[in-house]
Every structure is written in C-alpha cells, then in structure tokens.
Amino acid sequence: MKFNHPLMHNNITQGDLEKVTELFKKKNIILTQSVEVDKFEKKWSEWIGTKYSTFVNSGSSANFITIKILQILNKDLSKNEIITPTLTWVSDVNSVIMNGFKPIFVDINLSNLSMNIDQVLKKINKKTLAVFITHAQGFNGLNDILLEQLKKRGIHLIEDVCESHGAEYKKKKLGTFGLISNFSFYYAHHMTTIEGGMICTNNKKIYEVSKILRSHGMVREAQNKIFEKKIINKYKDLSPKFIFLYPTLNFRNTEIGATIGLNQIKYLNQNNKKRLNNFTFFLENLNSQKYFTDFDVQGSSNYAFPIILNTKNLRVRDKFEKYLIKNNIEFRRGNAGGGNQLRQPYIKDFIKIKNFSKYKNVEKVHFFGYYIGNYPSLSKPKIILILKILNSFDFLG
Ligand SMILES: Cc1ncc(COP(=O)(O)O)c(C=O)c1O
C-alpha cells in the first residue's frame, strides 16, 4: 500500500457508531439537545475538574459565548481591552472584536507556541479586562508569574484549551485555572463529537448565562428557577417561554454529538498517553539541525506534530512543501490557525499593523511552521518512516 500520512485517522470509532445506533433504536427519541447532552456535560466536568460545563456546537461558539459573557457581566466600561495571542484560531480574535472589545496582541514563544508572558505583563493597563490565552497544540502556556500578576491586578484569565485537552500545569488540568475555559471537539482534535465545543467554569452565574446564551438568549434555559420567575414577573407583557434576555444565536449541540462524546471520553486519557508517547519519540529523533526541537513538553498533551524549519529562506520552505506533498504527508502551514492572525484580511479593518518585526516568533511560525498528524493508531514503524522522510530533506540541494 502506498505510504500516506493524513492529519487525522479514524477519529470516529465503530464503538461510537454502535452507541449512536443504540440511541436511534430508542423509542420516542429526541435528537436535539436533551438528556444525553446533560450527561455529557456532567461527565466532562468530572473529567476536567470544573463545577460546570455547557456543551455547544463548536469551539468557536464556546469562544464567542465566553467573550459575550465577559461583555454582559462587565460593569466597568473603561475596561475594554483583551490581551490576545497572535497565534491562535480566528474565532478567539473575532469573538473579542464581535463583542466590542479591543484585542491587544502579543508575540509567542517558540518553545510552547503560547503567549510571551513578559509582553502580556507589559501590555496590561487600566483598560485590561482579561487575558485570553491559547494553549496551542497541546502545550501549556501558563506560568506562576502570569497567574500571580493576574490575581493581584484583578484581571480575568480566559483559557482556550481547544487544542490541548488533558494538558497540565503543575499536575492540574489546563482549563481549570481561568475564570472560563473553552474546548473544541472538532474531528481532528484529541476527541470528537463530530462538531462541538465546551464552556467550563466554577462560577455559577457564568454557567447560568452560558446556558441562556447558548439558546437564543431564552430565559427558560436558566437552571435557577427563582431567577427565571423573577424575570417572568418583570416582563409581564411577554410570553414566559419566549423571553429573550441577551442578543445571541442558537449554539446548541445534539444528542448524537453528546452520545459520541460520552463514548469518546472513556478513551481520552489512554489516547492522550499514546499521542504523547508518539510526540516524545518524534521529537527525540527529529534532526535538530534542520528543525526546531526545543519545545517545552512538560505537561503537554499533543495531537499534531509541530514542525518549524531552521531556515529563513522561502525557497527552501517552498521546496519543503513540495517534498511533503510528493511523500503524501498532509500538512498545515502556520501551526495553530494559519500563523500570524495580524496578517489575515479580516483583521485589517480593525488594526493597522505596519511592522511585523515586533512579532518575530509568530512570524517564524507563520512562514516556516507546520503541523502534521499524530493520532492514537499511529504506529512506531510509521513514525520512523515519517522521521526518515523529514530528516532526509535536503535544505541545501
Ligand atoms: C485554539 C482554537 N480555538 C478555537 C477553535 C475553534 O474550534 P471549532 O473548530 O470547534 O470551532 C480551534 C479550532 O480548531 C482552535 O484551534
């Protein structure tokens, strides 16, 4: 069989499909959000270690609702800045902009592809409401200085863990440090619900608002029935089941997604371990002359191998891409989310950046960074073959 290395392989299992078939066989089934969604949220909260979780239809929706919650609960309108990474997914930046905040960008570290914390601390000022960190590609982005300073200055930490399920800082799972955290269950991630995302928090009020925001802003979604009654009494001219509190959309997931999630979570730890072993082996054997290998793997939970070329030559880069294509290795340039967000067309109406040299590391990743697949069924002989291909790439020829 011809060698071929896709970004992801078999992320929906036969076991998942059997669970979905069982669901279909139930009498009077409901497939829109119902009891399986509740069960999955509880299971996820247990797994991650937060009190509450809200299951939504994507990680981007989780991002959007999270920042909408900050907007709704923020009483001090002078606080309108959110510190945001340059290397992240587009929805992190868009959720900031779409909710009326100003994203303040910082560069990344090559060692963990996450925010440069010195720059974060320098950019904090009276207007800073939150730091929206992305734990990119399975790496931990936190350190004690950041946690201490945010606590001391009363600035919210929001964690995007969409690419790092199971990664830890000091043996505690990422997604449990911030006021709110977000996960994605898109097909190619550590686990999948086909499409899907989760919003996690220990704060009851935030949880309440997230449930309402997930479903058209309808008050009937509130878990706190005393609160619901209060609102119904306040708006006597409205139908109690149709009171729309906040401007939002429908971000609900389905019973099918939750059923797959409940099955997938059983294997998540085991799969994360396999992927981490794959990653450690990959890094130990990747040629460090040709590729950047100095990653900080402590606490990491990898799902895709990062590759950063040790060159500044775009011709070598183009040759490398042709080489990967020839060898049937699927790749994405720019690591998480296509590289430097500041270079994307959607941002240009909001921020004018003339000088990208202030963002040296994200620029490196933008032009010379990649990821390729790492999945639980990836065998060692296959990793050896991938390494052989990568290590044989001729930078000079
Ligand atoms: C860091 C990060 N945040 C958010 C998202 C959005 O998740 P989704 O694709 O489920 O909308 C992604 C997507 O992969 C991501 O990598």
Side-chain angles (χ1 to χ4, degrees):
M1 212 171 78
K2 208 171 134 204
F3 177 84
N4 153 40
H5 181 50
L7 284 182
M8 179 52 64
H9 182 62
N10 275 351
N11 211 14
I12 300 270
T13 66
Q14 198 53 39
D16 298 332
L17 297 179
E18 279 162 22
K19 291 287 177 194
V20 173
T21 310
E22 280 172 31
L23 175 75
F24 285 167
K25 282 184 184 156
K26 282 186 185 159
K27 279 203 181 118
N28 302 323
I29 51 165
I30 294 174
L31 291 179
T32 51
Q33 177 186 293
S34 184
V35 291
E36 299 304 312
V37 168
D38 287 348
K39 277 193 226 161
F40 180 44
E41 289 173 342
K42 290 204 174 73
K43 197 43 126 202
W44 183 262
S45 293
E46 271 169 36
W47 185 83
I48 189 73
T50 57
K51 282 193 193 151
Y52 312 107
S53 298
T54 300
F55 186 37
V56 290
N57 56 6
S58 73
S60 329
S61 305
N63 292 153
F64 178 80
I65 292 175
T66 295
I67 305 301
K68 175 62 78 190
I69 294 171
L70 291 190
Q71 186 213 47
I72 289 169
L73 300 182
N74 179 29
K75 300 280 174 264
D76 179 355
L77 296 185
S78 69
K79 285 189 176 281
N80 65 351
E81 292 185 356
I82 297 187
I83 302 183
T84 314
T86 38
L87 185 73
T88 183
W89 192 251
V90 57
S91 53
D92 292 57
V93 183
N94 268 336
S95 57
V96 169
I97 294 170
M98 287 162 81
N99 284 301
F101 293 107
K102 187 171 175 201
I104 304 294
F105 288 98
V106 293
D107 197 12
I108 56 158
N109 314 302
L110 286 185
S111 58
N112 63 4
L113 304 177
S114 193
M115 289 169 139
N116 177 316
I117 288 175
D118 289 342
Q119 288 190 15
V120 172
L121 298 179
K122 277 192 194 129
K123 296 215 170 170
I124 289 178
N125 65 66
K126 285 197 302 257
K127 295 190 213 155
T128 310
L129 180 67
V131 170
F132 192 4
I133 199 167
T134 296
H135 300 295
Q137 291 204 306
F139 295 111
N140 160 50
L142 298 176
N143 72 13
D144 281 353
I145 301 171
L146 179 75
L147 293 173
E148 275 163 28
Q149 285 298 314
L150 295 187
K151 197 169 167 197
K152 196 169 134 197
R153 301 185 199 192
I155 292 163
H156 303 309
L157 173 69
I158 308 296
E159 294 180 86
D160 182 327
V161 203
C162 288
E163 300 184 4
S164 300
H165 314 49
E168 295 177 342
Y169 176 56
K170 295 195 164 168
K171 301 210 178 329
K172 191 168 173 296
K173 282 203 181 82
L174 301 182
T176 58
F177 290 87
L179 178 67
I180 314 176
S181 63
N182 299 158
F183 291 83
S184 162
F185 303 120
Y186 178 61
Y187 175 72
H189 289 178
H190 297 70
M191 64 166 267
T192 186
T193 58
I194 312 176
E195 297 277 2
M198 200 68 92
I199 303 158
C200 304
T201 184
N202 287 321
N203 181 306
K204 200 164 184 182
K205 175 136 195 214
I206 287 174
Y207 172 61
E208 279 289 339
V209 179
S210 74
K211 292 256 164 174
I212 295 171
L213 284 173
R214 171 176 68 179
S215 249
H216 308 283
M218 286 191 293
V219 169
R220 71 174 194 228
E221 294 290 321
Q223 309 289 297
N224 180 343
K225 293 300 154 194
I226 300 169
F227 169 75
E228 187 186 350
K229 219 171 187 156
K230 213 168 108 187
I231 300 291
I232 291 172
N233 286 336
K234 187 169 169 191
Y235 297 100
K236 288 208 167 40
D237 60 327
L238 298 177
S239 163
K241 294 288 179 204
F242 287 129
I243 302 179
F244 303 103
L245 254 196
Y246 310 118
T248 178
L249 302 168
N250 171 7
F251 296 107
R252 291 187 300 253
N253 209 304
T254 66
E255 293 289 273
I256 301 171
T259 300
I260 294 175
L262 279 163
N263 202 48
Q264 289 250 333
I265 200 170
K266 291 186 201 155
Y267 307 102
L268 183 55
N269 289 340
Q270 189 182 317
N271 283 345
N272 284 351
K273 216 181 215 171
K274 285 187 193 159
R275 282 176 146 127
L276 184 61
N277 286 341
N278 289 347
F279 182 46
T280 314
F281 180 76
F282 176 82
L283 257 194
E284 280 167 3
N285 292 286
L286 188 66
N287 184 327
S288 60
Q289 304 267 293
K290 296 182 176 179
Y291 306 99
F292 177 86
T293 55
D294 205 8
F295 290 107
D296 180 3
V297 290
Q298 187 143 35
S300 74
S301 177
N302 184 268
Y303 80 102
F305 298 148
I307 295 173
I308 303 173
L309 303 178
N310 282 341
T311 180
K312 289 181 180 157
N313 186 333
L314 285 170
R315 279 213 334 242
V316 173
R317 193 276 309 267
D318 293 346
K319 196 177 103 174
F320 178 71
E321 292 192 1
K322 284 195 186 121
Y323 182 73
L324 292 184
I325 292 167
K326 195 177 110 213
N327 283 286
N328 292 313
I329 297 179
E330 194 179 1
F331 62 88
R332 292 283 181 275
R333 192 203 307 152
N335 294 65
N340 189 354
Q341 288 295 321
L342 291 169
R343 287 187 174 269
Q344 294 290 347
Y346 78 89
I347 197 87
K348 300 221 182 316
D349 285 342
F350 300 95
I351 288 161
K352 305 262 178 275
I353 301 269
K354 290 195 189 84
N355 182 4
F356 290 107
S357 63
K358 279 200 301 196
Y359 305 95
K360 149 170 126 345
N361 288 337
V362 75
E363 284 287 277
K364 174 83 190 168
V365 163
H366 185 90
F367 290 104
F368 301 100
Y370 297 86
Y371 69 85
I372 61 170
N374 171 19
Y375 34 85
S377 62
L378 185 60
S379 67
K380 202 152 179 194
K382 192 159 178 183
I383 303 175
I384 292 171
L385 253 171
I386 296 164
L387 283 161
K388 198 167 156 209
I389 294 169
L390 293 174
N391 290 341
S392 314
F393 175 63
D394 181 6
F395 277 60
L396 302 172

